[in-house]
Amino acid sequence: PSDFTRDMLRELLDSNGFSERYNFIYVPYDFSRGRSIGYAFVNMESAQDAMQARERFTNFQQWKNPSSKICAVSWGAPLQGLEAHIEKFQNSPVMHQDVPDEFKPMLFSQGRRIDFPCPTKLIRQPRWKFRH
């Protein structure tokens, strides 16, 4: 759903038995429209966790806020694994200091949020206007 947030994703995962079973989440946000794009990235701790999450959330419709959207789950391609997600987002404009934390990817270790690795190069400022 377009009103889906990163915090809602965490709540959904945790309330469905996946607490401490994911290590990365990101809900892309369209700042020009002021809503999420409608999909999310989740990296599970193991292949078994990923298969169970796929089974649980394929065709999921029980959203916190009323929505007719039906969840589709797919394996990320070419992004697979925690390191690939870190590498993709570590130097991304979404990690720029001007982007509010609520719109950034999150890393976890044993269910606790951990810091994202520092950028390895200068992060360019996002080109969009923020609406929040």
Side-chain angles (χ1 to χ4, degrees):
S2 61
D3 64 347
F4 204 61
T5 67
R6 187 184 69 180
D7 288 341
M8 289 174 160
L9 176 58
R10 286 185 68 194
E11 183 180 322
L12 179 67
L13 290 166
D14 292 352
S15 67
N16 278 274
F18 294 97
S19 180
E20 298 187 23
R21 295 173 66 188
Y22 55 91
N23 52 29
F24 175 92
I25 62 170
Y26 175 52
V27 177
Y29 192 80
D30 182 340
F31 292 96
S32 64
R33 294 183 178 172
R35 60 184 184 207
S36 68
I37 294 175
Y39 60 88
F41 296 92
V42 178
N43 193 73
M44 304 304 290
E45 288 283 353
S46 71
Q48 181 179 359
D49 291 335
M51 289 187 298
Q52 289 175 353
R54 183 178 191 172
E55 183 178 309
R56 173 64 185 107
F57 293 113
T58 294
N59 297 321
F60 181 88
Q61 298 180 48
Q62 299 162 336
W63 307 108
K64 182 176 183 177
N65 297 335
S67 174
S68 62
K69 299 290 182 178
I70 300 171
C71 184
V73 179
S74 61
W75 301 129
L79 236 54
Q80 279 291 326
L82 181 59
E83 292 304 317
H85 284 88
I86 290 172
E87 186 176 316
K88 177 170 177 61
F89 292 103
Q90 183 175 14
N91 295 309
S92 167
V94 77
M95 299 304 287
H96 191 274
Q97 65 185 12
D98 289 348
V99 176
D101 182 68
E102 66 195 272
F103 303 118
K104 294 181 179 185
M106 293 177 78
L107 291 177
F108 299 88
S109 177
Q110 299 177 340
R112 293 191 184 124
R113 186 176 184 181
I114 59 173
D115 291 336
F116 220 90
C118 294
T120 58
K121 58 185 178 183
L122 185 64
I123 298 177
R124 71 175 166 82
Q125 188 171 9
R127 290 180 270 179
W128 50 71
K129 294 180 181 178
F130 296 119
R131 284 188 191 171
H132 53 95

